[in-house]
Structure formats: structure tokens, C-alpha cells
Amino acid sequence: GVGNIWDTVNNEFDWVAGGMQLGDEVVIRLDIDLTVNSNNDSFLVEIDLAHGHAGEIKLPLSYINVDITGTQKHIVIFRVFMGNTNVLNEPAKLSITANSTGDSYLLNGFYVSAEPTNPRFV
């Protein structure tokens, strides 16, 4: 009973299009390569729930400090709870920011597992 949660046109999560309802949860795993040019640089991974809505919620998911130069792989796992209509009905956007302009990241992919509170059969 769950459809496509990722909106490829707008690069955002669309919970309603995915068939989510109030009380449902999703588990998301991000696979990221972080590349830094100097020691002790950092990255902040966030999700912006209800993006563009007055009830927008920006949640920090992970603060990653990279001690050595080069590229390192990181996995970030988090849950999103459809606890109110703003979170459910509005899109969610991911963001990754670095504290240094010379640093970069590559989102290799992600995995989403929908966990409805009540099983729905189609």
C-alpha cells in the first residue's frame, strides 16, 4: 500500500504520494562520501520537514567531523514520524553543508523503509 516516496522532479520526499498516513514512520539511510581538504573539517546533515510551510521543522540529523584529508564514507540512519499534518502533507528536503568551501560530498544513494502504523493491503 506504499508508493514512491521520493519525488524525482523536485528532489524531495513526498510522504502523501508514498501513501503515508498520520502515525506512520519511515526509516532512511543515507550513504555519503565526504571529501575534505584539511584536517578537522565538518559536515552537517539535516532534514527540513514541512519544507516551505509556516510550520517548517529543520532537524539536524548528524554532525560529522572528519579528522584527516581525503574521502571517507559515512552512513546516516534516521526515522521520520508523521506526527502531524504539516509533516505529513508538506515535502521534506535533505541538506548537507560543509564548514569549509573546499570540501565536498557525494550522496551515493539512500534507502527508505516505510513503516505504517496499521498494515494496508491493496
Side-chain angles (χ1 to χ4, degrees):
V2 175
N4 192 0
I5 289 172
W6 182 249
D7 176 351
T8 57
V9 173
N10 297 304
N11 289 322
E12 61 191 16
F13 293 103
D14 185 338
W15 313 121
V16 174
M20 305 303 292
Q21 298 177 6
L22 281 176
D24 291 349
E25 285 184 285
V26 293
V27 176
I28 301 172
R29 184 193 74 222
L30 307 175
D31 299 314
I32 309 167
D33 286 346
L34 303 175
T35 302
V36 299
N37 295 316
S38 61
N39 295 344
N40 295 317
D41 283 351
S42 60
F43 293 82
L44 177 61
V45 181
E46 297 176 297
I47 190 165
D48 189 4
L49 302 171
H51 178 74
H53 188 272
E56 190 171 86
I57 305 165
K58 192 165 221 156
L59 293 176
L61 302 173
S62 184
Y63 180 80
I64 304 166
N65 190 55
V66 182
D67 294 333
I68 58 174
T69 59
T71 301
Q72 297 181 21
K73 295 188 177 297
H74 287 273
I75 294 175
V76 177
I77 301 171
F78 59 96
R79 290 180 169 270
V80 176
F81 174 61
M82 303 302 136
N84 64 50
T85 55
N86 287 341
V87 171
L88 175 65
N89 295 327
E90 302 298 330
K93 292 226 179 223
L94 288 172
S95 67
I96 303 172
T97 53
N99 73 333
S100 176
T101 57
D103 296 341
S104 63
Y105 70 89
L106 173 65
L107 179 61
N108 294 307
F110 56 90
Y111 168 78
V112 179
S113 175
E115 299 183 2
T117 54
N118 296 305
R120 296 184 284 277
F121 303 98
V122 177

